[in-house]
Amino acid sequence: PLKVSTCLYIIQHPAEESRVLRTVPLLAACLPPEKCKILVGRRFNEDRYPELATVCRNPNTLILYPGAEATNLEEVAVMSSSPPVMIIIDGTWSQAKDIFYKNSLFRLPKQVQLKPSISSQYVIRTQPTNTCLSTLECAAVALSIMEKNKSIQETILHPLQALCSFQLQHGAQIHHSKEHLLKNGLYDKPMPKNKRKLRRMELLVNNVKI
């Protein structure tokens, strides 16, 4: 396991537990158990999760969730009086959105986001856009920034690269992002009837940040 000072709290949607090719088990294997804590559920309140509530009130805690109110992680100065903590939500984008907005505890930590500087290497699962990353990739980039050690990112990404390589050798297909498929006329599924979903797909095609 890598030696890091940052502690990760992975808030995992229950649906992720049943996915065979998920990335959180790979992430957990890369870090000491006390530095990668996984909580599974949809709703988190102070009565049932007192430790999490304390973590959310810690001024050194950050939550990784993009948005208008989020600060780029590179610009955040974490106080050095105690080890930093980062919360990452694991699930599809709609699941993560539901967890973030329907749990008041997750509005307490400082909200941060990553600059879209790399494309996902998780090529055996479809991403909404070319710059959307898996949970493991988000953690790898975030830890390399917070620990000021670029090699952490490379080390954590190795198991993911091996997973994808193995799957591709045994019949899996490369999944391009939905953004790529739409822009290149390769999207072969029926267009959604829901106006909101249809609008989101139009924004993807027109390079509008959602």
Side-chain angles (χ1 to χ4, degrees), residues 71-197:
T71 304
N72 288 334
L73 181 58
E74 293 90 339
E75 301 168 10
V76 175
V78 179
M79 293 183 295
S80 58
S81 56
S82 60
V85 179
M86 173 166 282
I87 297 171
I88 301 176
I89 302 174
D90 179 49
T92 64
W93 281 102
S94 60
Q95 290 166 352
K97 182 178 180 180
D98 178 74
I99 289 174
F100 181 73
Y101 284 106
K102 292 186 179 179
N103 290 282
S104 58
L105 282 178
F106 299 142
R107 308 295 287 168
L108 298 176
K110 185 174 183 62
Q111 186 179 342
V112 296
Q113 62 187 5
L114 302 174
K115 291 181 180 178
S117 57
I118 66 170
S119 294
S120 177
Q121 298 182 43
Y122 193 23
V123 294
I124 55 175
R125 189 167 170 182
T126 304
Q127 303 288 0
T129 72
N130 295 330
T131 54
C132 286
L133 303 178
S134 66
T135 302
L136 177 141
E137 290 170 309
C138 287
V141 175
L143 283 173
S144 68
I145 294 170
M146 297 178 76
E147 300 287 323
K148 297 179 173 60
N149 184 350
K150 189 70 176 178
S151 67
I152 289 177
Q153 178 177 330
E154 298 171 2
T155 302
I156 293 179
L157 289 181
H158 281 161
L160 179 65
Q161 293 162 353
L163 168 68
C164 292
S165 176
F166 183 86
Q167 291 296 324
L168 292 172
Q169 289 171 22
H170 291 80
Q173 300 294 317
I174 291 178
H175 289 224
H176 294 289
S177 70
K178 187 180 292 185
E179 175 188 24
H180 174 89
L181 296 175
L182 287 168
K183 287 182 176 179
N184 291 277
L186 301 173
Y187 192 76
D188 58 1
K189 295 182 180 179
M191 297 300 282
K193 295 180 180 179
N194 182 289
K195 290 183 178 180
R196 185 184 301 174
K197 290 183 178 179

Side-chain angles (χ1 to χ4, degrees), residues 1-8 27-28 30-36 83-84 139-140 142-149 151-153 155-156:
L2 290 167
K3 292 183 179 180
V4 294
S5 60
T6 306
C7 180
L8 298 182
L27 174 63
C30 292
L31 301 170
E34 69 275 11
K35 295 298 183 182
C36 185
L143 283 173
S144 68
I145 294 170
M146 297 178 76
E147 300 287 323
K148 297 179 173 60
N149 184 350
S151 67
I152 289 177
Q153 178 177 330
T155 302
I156 293 179

Side-chain angles (χ1 to χ4, degrees), residues 51-59 61 87 105-106 108-110:
E51 179 187 342
L52 180 62
T54 301
V55 167
C56 288
R57 289 191 170 87
N58 183 337
T61 298
I87 297 171
L105 282 178
F106 299 142
L108 298 176
K110 185 174 183 62

Side-chain angles (χ1 to χ4, degrees), residues 15-27:
E16 283 297 308
E17 282 189 298
S18 61
R19 292 186 184 275
V20 178
L21 300 176
R22 58 195 191 277
T23 65
V24 167
L26 297 179
L27 174 63

